[in-house]
Amino acid sequence: MVHCGLNQRDPTLIGRYPRSLFPGGLADRATHIHIGGVVAARTRDLVPMGSGYLPTDKAMATAMAASFSNIQVIDQDGQASLLSPNLSAYMTSRDTYSVSSVINGKFFYGGPFQKST
């Protein structure tokens, strides 16, 4: 199950993944977790992701770019830990849409409303 607001008294359930979706060994444990986003539109113009600002430097990222924070993974024993900072990122167009490194369970993302310099 996927919950939002784990730091609140009653977290909100936002997704559920029943065992029947995962054949074989995946029904017992996950080997990978992917977090992603897609931008789609019926126009050829670039559309914003997040706030539209790229997280290219710390000052711009904290002031303008969209973010996810306090991202936790809960293991089979119910123990929570912050998202690892050693994650790889894949972007199809780094100069248009971007994501920062994970620091203390938080990352910034966005583009192409305004490119920062």
Side-chain angles (χ1 to χ4, degrees):
M1 289 194 252
V2 178
H3 286 85
C4 169
L6 290 174
N7 58 338
Q8 299 171 5
R9 199 165 111 184
D10 295 316
T12 303
L13 177 65
I14 59 173
R16 186 165 183 260
Y17 301 93
R19 292 178 76 131
S20 61
L21 291 176
F22 305 98
L26 287 179
D28 296 322
R29 65 182 171 93
T31 56
H32 293 82
I33 298 172
H34 293 267
I35 300 171
V38 175
V39 175
R42 292 184 180 191
T43 176
R44 292 187 185 264
D45 296 331
L46 294 174
V47 294
M49 175 182 274
S51 64
Y53 289 90
L54 288 170
T56 56
D57 61 48
K58 291 181 183 182
M60 179 59 75
T62 56
M64 305 297 279
S67 67
F68 279 95
S69 61
N70 196 26
I71 303 169
Q72 298 180 25
V73 177
I74 301 175
D75 67 17
Q76 64 194 20
D77 298 322
Q79 299 299 311
S81 58
L82 289 176
L83 198 60
S84 170
N86 306 358
L87 301 175
S88 59
Y90 171 77
M91 291 162 277
T92 56
S93 182
R94 290 180 186 267
D95 62 338
T96 305
Y97 300 102
S98 187
V99 63
S100 72
S101 299
V102 175
I103 300 173
N104 296 323
K106 182 175 189 172
F107 68 89
F108 296 92
Y109 66 97
F113 177 70
Q114 180 175 327
K115 294 183 182 185
S116 59
T117 56

